[in-house]
């Protein structure tokens, strides 16, 4: 089978609909099927309802709402003939083998030759699904297990047999990787595959040991979360998220299919608190409550509560306060599991069971420890995989402590203890321990370039506390933010200037990529430094730093080499402004970008207003004339709009039509480098632009638009102050449409407006509130 251009998903439940939506994110047409309800006049009402619900889902299932137009609703009684148009058919119906097998017969009768058919099952082995299956379907059939929500969870587990056509497997692996942005892992045909086999054990052990040690749910989640590199939802928060009602079904499947001597059988059980919760419908976020709940009071206020694991009654949620947690902040996981309090004991019981169980499963569930680690990171959001976690504590130390406690040490862990760890760096390359006790290179897929590998193999060419510059080959440099949360400060600007000097002195370098592999590209300027300087009233220094940032960004824009920004995650404020000054952008699909400065009572100060004006002036989608571009920029900046994807960023104008979008984050740097090299051929820097703006007449028009927000109470007095300052910049100050303004003229207006706003008490209060709470203040 070649490219996948059209697909079908059968089963319009939460998972099926989510898979269908994400297929449209890859540009694929999708037919979404479900059953016909009894006595229904609209026979495809379930699928139609699912599509409508997807448009309202938060977080958004579609990367652009336009993608909904790629979906067609259908039903399994009248429309199965449409399967003949599809290249890939995904079954996502109820986890009942008889229903699935009956459906496969209908699929095979209606599909076209060579189409791929897969099941999204999370519990039923492939060998059971293919039992009695038509011989014509078996080579084209496999399991493709997505994780919920399909757009956001990177893991795609693929299960095949020796009868599965290898070309079909490669098609799904390639499509899943490049088109869907997944970390694709081929798993063994074992219960729970990789991630759920480990994840269900981990959660079961967490519940049991929390109760045994008398922990609160807050304490258990705090201990089993951040110190282990696991999201803060950890155990009980995750169960609330996925739904407690699913747990008995998963447990039953695991119990029935795992060997009697598997350690899951030992720890499995349903504590009384779980029985009570299931009986009362306290199943988590999709029910009335879960382990956590929000209680509403008559005055409209809310109180967060949590369940007592012994009594199954709710009480006010109390933040975990354990000495072991404090110790772990400096000493890490090793210090936590060694601590004698109940938090430390819980951490050790979790590690000594969950990590040991995992180590005992290789090669049963996967060929390599790398596959296991990647599965847990991509499927459960762990920062470190289980084997990486053991290495952080020390494999030899961990094995020795297990032995002292009289616990069995699995063969893989013994090997790692003898060899010095599960991973090592040799000659600048990351290697992993094989089941034979030898180290092998971690091999990246073709087209994958990771900055972590570059950093492992060499040293930065330029370095300061906020920035590093790396040689990524072929005459291309990579500028990496290095401050906390990649916040931008004077040292970042110094790093840019040093890079430009270095490239001028070393002409073999012909292009620059701005990229990092943190969860967020940049959250913007370090506002802590701004408020510190403002409180000292060193206005001259503040203006100097703003001007330095403006000049640096403009110099990058006009540099004699191309600059390509390659953002992932959030690129806000000053982080967005570097995108706007780049020659090109190669963004990860999950890009959340915008100019959000009005939230703290100022406007963009490093050229963001200027660049948005220039983009909208050049946007052929907008009408011509002095006001359309101004009004659009005023709306976008004045309401601090942020894209929910790179596709939305393109629709909003933060990305241009020619900017690229990469679905898989592991491929962003390679794609950006290729774009930079393409631009470097016969590169000519852009000339400074001159535009006409409406001046005071434009301000008057924007004031009228603003008056409506004031009248309805949607704008506070300080919102008006900020908006008027923004309007003055965007309309060009004291000019009119018969005159022209330069980029430097607009930068001066930006700088003046920023300083004037910063001197107001209302803006200082907003900044301080943001620093204290992380939330904007309406004043």
């Amino acid at each position: 089978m070649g490219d996948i251009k059209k697909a079908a998903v059968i089963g319009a439940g939460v998972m099926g609909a989510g898979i269908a939506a994400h297929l449209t994110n890859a540009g694929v047409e999708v037919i979404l099927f479900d059953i016909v309800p009894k006595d229904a006049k609209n026979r495809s009402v379930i699928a139609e309802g699912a599509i409508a619900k997807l448009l309202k889902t938060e977080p958004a299932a579609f990367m652009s709402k336009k993608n909904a137009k790629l979906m067609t609703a259908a039903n399994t009684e009248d429309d199965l003939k449409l399967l003949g148009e599809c290249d890939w058919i995904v079954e996502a119906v109820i986890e009942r083998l008889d229903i699935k097998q009956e459906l496969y017969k209908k699929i095979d009768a209606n599909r076209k030759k060579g189409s791929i058919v897969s099941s999204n099952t999370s519990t039923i082995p492939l060998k059971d699904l293919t039992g009695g299956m038509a011989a014509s379907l078996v080579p084209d059939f496999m399991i493709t297990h997505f994780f919920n929500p399909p757009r956001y969870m990177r893991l795609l587990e693929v299960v095949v047999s020796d009868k599965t056509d290898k070309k079909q497997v490669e098609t799904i692996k390639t499509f899943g990787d490049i088109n869907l942005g997944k970390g694709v892992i081929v798993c063994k045909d074992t219960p729970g595959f990789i991630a759920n086999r480990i994840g269900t054990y981990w959660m079961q052990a967490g519940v049991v040991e929390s109760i045994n040690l008398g922990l609160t749910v807050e304490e258990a989640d705090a201990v089993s979360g951040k110190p282990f590199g696991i999201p803060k939802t950890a155990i009980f928060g995750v169960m609330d998220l996925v739904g407690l009602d699913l747990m008995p079904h998963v447990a039953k499947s695991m119990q029935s299919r795992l060997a009697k001597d598997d350690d899951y059988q030992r720890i499995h059980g349903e504590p009384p608190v779980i029985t009570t919760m299931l009986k009362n419908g306290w199943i988590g976020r999709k029910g009335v409550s879960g382990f956590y709940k929000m209680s509403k009071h008559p005055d409209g206020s809310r109180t967060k509560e949590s369940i007592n694991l012994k009594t199954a009654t709710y009480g006010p949620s109390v933040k975990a306060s354990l000495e072991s947690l404090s110790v772990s902040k400096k000493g890490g996981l090793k210090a936590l599991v060694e601590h004698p309090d109940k938090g430390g004991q819980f951490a050790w019981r979790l590690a000594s069971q969950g990590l040991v169980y995992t180590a005992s499963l290789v090669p049963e569930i996967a060929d390599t420890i790398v596959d296991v680690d990647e599965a847990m990171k991509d499927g459960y959001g762990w920062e470190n995989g289980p084997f990486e976690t053991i290495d952080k504590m020390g494999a030899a130390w961990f094995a020795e402590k297990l032995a002292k406690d009289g616990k069995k040490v699995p063969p893989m862990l013994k090997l790692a203890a003898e060899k010095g760890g599960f991973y090592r760096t040799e000659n600048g390359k990351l290697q992993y321990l094989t089941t034979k006790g030898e180290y092998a290179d971690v091999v990246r897929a073709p087209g994958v370039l990771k900055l972590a590998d570059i950093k492992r193999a060499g040293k930065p060419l330029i370095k300061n506390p906020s920035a590093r510059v790396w040689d990524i080959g072929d005459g291309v440099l990579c500028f990496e933010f290095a401050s906390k949360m990649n916040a931008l400060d004077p040292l970042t600007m110094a790093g840019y200037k040093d890079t430009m000097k270095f490239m001028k002195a070393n002409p073999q370098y012909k292009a620059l990529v701005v990229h990092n592999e943190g969860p967020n590209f940049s959250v913007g300027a370090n506002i802590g430094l701004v408020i510190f300087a403002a409180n000292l009233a060193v206005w001259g220094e503040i203006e100097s730093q703003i001007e330095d940032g403006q000049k640096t960004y403009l110099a990058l824009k006009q540099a004699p080499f191309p600059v390509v920004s390659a953002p992932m995650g959030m690129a806000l404020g000053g982080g967005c402004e570097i995108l706007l000054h780049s020659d090109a952008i190669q963004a990860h699909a999950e890009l959340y970008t915008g100019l959000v400065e009005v939230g703290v009572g100022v406007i963009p100060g490093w050229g963001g207003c200027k660049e948005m004006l220039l983009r909208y002036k050049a946007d052929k989608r907008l009408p011509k004339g002095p006001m359309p571009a101004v009004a659009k920029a005023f709306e976008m900046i004045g309401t601090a709009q942020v894209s929910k994807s790179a596709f939305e960023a393109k629709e909003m104008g933060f990305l241009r039509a020619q900017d690229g979008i990469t679905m898989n984050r592991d491929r962003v740097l390679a794609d950006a480098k290729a774009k930079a090299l393409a631009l470097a051929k016969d590169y000519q820097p852009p000339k400074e632009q001159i535009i006409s703006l409406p001046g005071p007449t434009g301000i008057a028009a924007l004031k009228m638009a603003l008056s409506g927000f004031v009248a309805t109470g949607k704008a506070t007095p300080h919102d008006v102050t900020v908006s008027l300052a923004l309007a003055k910049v965007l309309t060009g100050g004291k000019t009119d449409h018969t005159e022209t303004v330069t980029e430097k003229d607009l930068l001066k207006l930006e700088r003046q407006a920023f300083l004037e706003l910063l001197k107001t008490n209302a803006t200082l209060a907003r900044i301080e509130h943001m620093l204290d709470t992380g939330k904007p203040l309406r004043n």
Side-chain angles (χ1 to χ4, degrees):
M1 192 75 199
D3 293 337
I4 293 170
K5 296 178 180 177
K6 192 166 188 176
V9 178
I10 304 178
V14 172
M15 277 303 297
I19 292 167
H22 194 51
L23 286 167
T24 70
N25 292 334
V28 174
E29 290 184 59
V30 181
I31 305 170
L32 181 62
F33 290 83
D34 211 295
I35 61 172
V36 178
K38 186 178 179 181
D39 301 325
K41 293 181 180 178
N42 179 353
R43 294 174 64 80
S44 298
V45 66
I46 294 178
E48 285 184 13
I51 296 171
K53 190 174 181 180
L54 284 170
L55 285 165
K56 301 174 184 177
T57 299
E58 288 294 339
F62 293 117
M63 289 183 175
S64 169
K65 288 189 176 181
K66 294 178 181 178
N67 292 347
K69 295 178 181 178
L70 292 172
M71 293 182 72
T72 302
N75 70 74
T76 53
E77 289 186 22
D78 308 324
D79 304 319
L80 285 179
K81 60 183 178 295
L82 296 176
L83 295 178
E85 303 172 5
C86 299
D87 305 309
W88 182 14
I89 301 161
V90 182
E91 169 269 300
V93 303
I94 190 171
E95 291 284 78
R96 272 183 51 183
L97 183 59
D98 58 334
I99 291 176
K100 290 179 185 288
Q101 289 182 330
E102 188 61 32
L103 178 60
Y104 298 151
K105 294 176 184 176
K106 296 177 182 178
I107 291 172
D108 195 38
N110 287 278
R111 73 185 183 110
K112 66 181 177 182
K113 184 179 180 181
S115 61
I116 298 169
V117 181
S118 69
S119 173
N120 185 56
T121 183
S122 60
T123 60
I124 304 174
L126 182 67
K127 61 179 180 291
D128 292 350
L129 294 175
T130 55
M133 182 178 283
S136 59
L137 178 56
V138 172
D140 298 329
F141 186 85
M142 65 190 79
I143 291 171
T144 52
H145 180 219
F146 290 81
F147 281 69
N148 193 35
R151 169 182 165 181
Y152 299 95
M153 299 308 294
R154 287 194 73 223
L155 181 60
L156 176 60
E157 292 180 319
V158 176
V159 183
V160 300
S161 73
D162 56 1
K163 296 179 181 178
T164 313
D165 188 320
K166 289 182 173 57
K167 289 183 180 178
Q168 302 286 56
V169 178
E170 285 305 313
T171 295
I172 290 298
K173 285 173 63 179
T174 301
F175 184 83
D177 169 1
I178 296 173
N179 299 77
L180 297 179
K182 298 299 180 185
V184 183
I185 295 178
V186 177
C187 313
K188 303 288 186 70
D189 191 18
T190 56
F193 314 132
I194 297 176
N196 282 344
R197 177 77 173 271
I198 296 166
T200 53
Y201 181 99
W202 189 269
M203 285 191 285
Q204 182 67 34
V207 171
V208 170
E209 298 302 350
S210 297
I211 295 170
N212 289 343
L213 287 164
L215 270 70
T216 65
V217 293
E218 292 88 353
E219 288 170 338
D221 279 350
V223 171
S224 61
K226 189 175 180 180
F228 279 90
I230 292 173
K232 63 181 181 180
T233 44
I235 292 170
F236 295 105
V238 164
M239 292 172 75
D240 272 358
L241 188 63
V242 300
L244 190 61
D245 56 323
L246 295 178
M247 303 307 290
H249 301 291
V250 174
K252 183 179 179 181
S253 174
M254 296 290 280
Q255 269 192 302
S256 65
R257 291 186 166 91
L258 288 172
K260 290 184 178 180
D261 61 350
D262 190 277
D263 201 47
Y264 180 84
Q265 307 285 10
R266 175 186 64 83
I267 66 162
H268 173 264
E270 188 175 284
V273 65
I274 303 292
T275 304
T276 299
M277 292 175 73
L278 289 170
K279 181 180 177 182
N280 294 337
W282 301 341
I283 58 174
R285 295 188 188 183
K286 60 185 179 182
V288 293
S289 64
F291 292 101
Y292 297 95
K293 75 172 183 176
M294 295 297 293
S295 293
K296 295 181 181 179
H297 302 292
D299 63 357
S301 63
R302 293 186 173 200
T303 302
K304 186 177 182 180
E305 297 184 352
S306 58
I307 203 163
N308 183 303
L309 295 172
K310 294 282 189 182
T311 65
T313 57
Y314 286 97
S317 182
V318 179
K319 185 178 179 181
S321 179
L322 295 167
E323 188 178 327
S324 54
L325 284 172
S326 299
V327 168
S328 71
K329 290 177 181 178
K330 287 187 177 180
L333 182 58
K334 186 176 177 181
L336 175 64
V337 300
E338 288 185 307
H339 199 278
D341 75 4
K342 62 180 180 179
Q345 292 179 55
F346 174 65
W348 173 245
R349 291 188 187 184
L350 198 55
S352 63
Q353 293 179 85
L355 296 178
V356 167
Y357 182 65
T358 302
S360 71
L361 294 177
V362 178
E364 178 193 340
I365 63 172
D367 289 327
T368 71
I369 62 168
V370 178
D371 284 345
V372 173
D373 279 346
E374 293 302 312
M376 295 312 295
K377 288 189 286 187
D378 288 348
Y380 275 72
W382 290 18
E383 183 180 335
N384 305 295
F387 296 100
E388 292 171 329
T389 300
I390 294 173
D391 271 0
K392 288 189 78 172
M393 292 187 289
W397 174 87
F398 186 56
E400 184 180 347
K401 183 167 173 57
L402 287 169
K404 284 181 180 178
D405 279 12
K407 297 181 182 294
K408 187 177 179 181
V409 181
M412 274 301 295
L413 181 53
K414 286 181 181 178
L415 277 175
E418 293 167 3
K419 292 283 186 175
F422 287 103
Y423 293 92
R424 73 176 186 184
T425 298
E426 190 74 8
N427 298 321
K429 291 187 176 182
L430 180 64
Q431 296 185 326
Y432 69 95
L433 187 65
T434 69
T435 53
K436 295 179 180 178
E438 301 168 346
Y439 285 99
D441 290 347
V442 174
V443 179
R444 306 297 184 194
V448 171
L449 177 63
K450 293 180 72 71
L451 189 57
D453 292 338
I454 300 289
K455 293 161 70 172
R456 194 177 286 112
K459 294 182 179 180
L461 300 175
I462 298 169
K463 179 181 179 181
N464 72 36
S466 297
R468 298 187 186 98
V469 178
W470 305 89
D471 184 339
I472 59 173
D474 301 310
V476 181
L477 296 182
C478 179
F479 188 98
E480 177 194 25
F481 303 134
S483 57
K484 185 177 180 182
M485 294 186 73
N486 296 328
L488 309 176
D489 57 29
L491 286 174
T492 312
M493 300 305 161
Y496 279 131
K497 287 181 282 189
D498 289 344
T499 302
M500 286 186 276
K501 290 176 185 176
F502 180 84
M503 293 182 74
K504 185 177 181 180
N506 296 272
Q508 68 269 32
Y509 294 109
K510 51 196 173 186
L512 179 68
V513 171
V514 184
H515 174 75
N516 66 78
E517 290 177 341
N520 293 307
F521 180 71
S522 173
V523 295
N526 186 333
I527 58 173
L529 292 178
V530 175
I531 196 69
F532 178 75
N535 285 331
L536 294 176
V538 286
W539 303 113
E541 177 63 23
I542 294 173
E543 182 173 12
S544 176
Q545 289 186 12
I546 297 168
E547 187 172 11
D548 183 51
Q550 291 180 335
K551 288 180 176 178
T552 303
Y553 276 14
L554 190 59
L556 279 168
K557 178 180 179 179
Q558 297 173 347
F561 52 82
V563 177
V564 177
S565 284
M568 303 189 292
M570 289 191 291
L572 304 176
C576 178
E577 285 173 304
I578 186 59
L579 306 187
L580 299 176
H581 284 83
S582 301
D583 291 283
I585 300 169
Q586 186 67 41
H588 181 227
E590 297 297 348
L591 174 65
Y592 311 98
T593 192
L595 297 168
V596 297
E597 288 84 350
V598 296
V600 291
V602 293
I603 65 168
W606 285 339
C609 300
K610 165 182 71 74
E611 288 300 314
M612 291 307 290
L613 267 177
L614 295 175
R615 285 181 182 233
Y616 289 137
K617 281 282 186 182
D619 193 336
K620 294 179 180 178
R621 295 172 295 183
L622 292 178
K624 298 299 179 185
M627 278 304 293
V630 171
K632 186 66 177 176
F634 184 73
E635 175 195 3
M636 198 64 62
I637 301 171
T639 55
Q641 291 191 35
V642 176
S643 69
K644 293 180 180 179
S645 73
F647 294 95
E648 270 198 10
K650 189 168 281 195
E651 293 168 4
M652 296 163 75
F654 293 114
L655 271 62
R656 294 156 294 201
Q658 66 268 31
D659 289 325
I661 299 173
T662 301
M663 292 294 283
N664 193 322
R665 62 181 291 122
D666 290 343
R667 295 179 176 274
V668 171
L669 182 56
D671 288 351
K673 178 183 172 182
K675 187 178 285 288
L677 286 170
L679 289 171
K681 296 175 183 177
D682 303 318
Y683 177 74
Q684 293 294 321
K687 295 178 181 179
E688 185 171 358
Q689 297 183 56
I690 298 172
I691 59 173
S692 296
L693 293 170
T697 58
I699 292 179
L702 294 177
K703 275 185 179 179
M704 289 181 63
L706 188 60
S707 63
F709 288 98
V710 175
T712 56
K714 293 179 181 179
T716 68
H718 194 57
D719 289 334
V720 175
T721 301
V722 176
S723 296
L724 291 176
L726 175 63
K728 183 178 179 181
V729 174
L730 294 175
T731 56
K734 296 177 181 179
T735 187
D736 63 52
H737 68 276
T738 65
E739 300 175 346
T740 59
V741 293
T742 67
E743 291 188 55
K744 289 176 182 175
D745 292 333
L746 288 170
L747 289 174
K748 185 177 180 180
L749 287 170
E750 270 191 10
R751 192 164 65 248
Q752 290 171 343
F754 187 97
L755 280 167
E756 288 171 6
L757 290 169
L758 191 59
K759 291 177 181 178
T760 64
N761 290 331
T763 287
L764 293 177
R766 286 190 179 191
I767 295 174
E768 288 175 340
H769 185 79
M770 177 65 77
L771 286 169
D772 290 341
T773 67
K775 299 177 181 178
L777 172 68
R778 299 281 325 276
N779 60 347

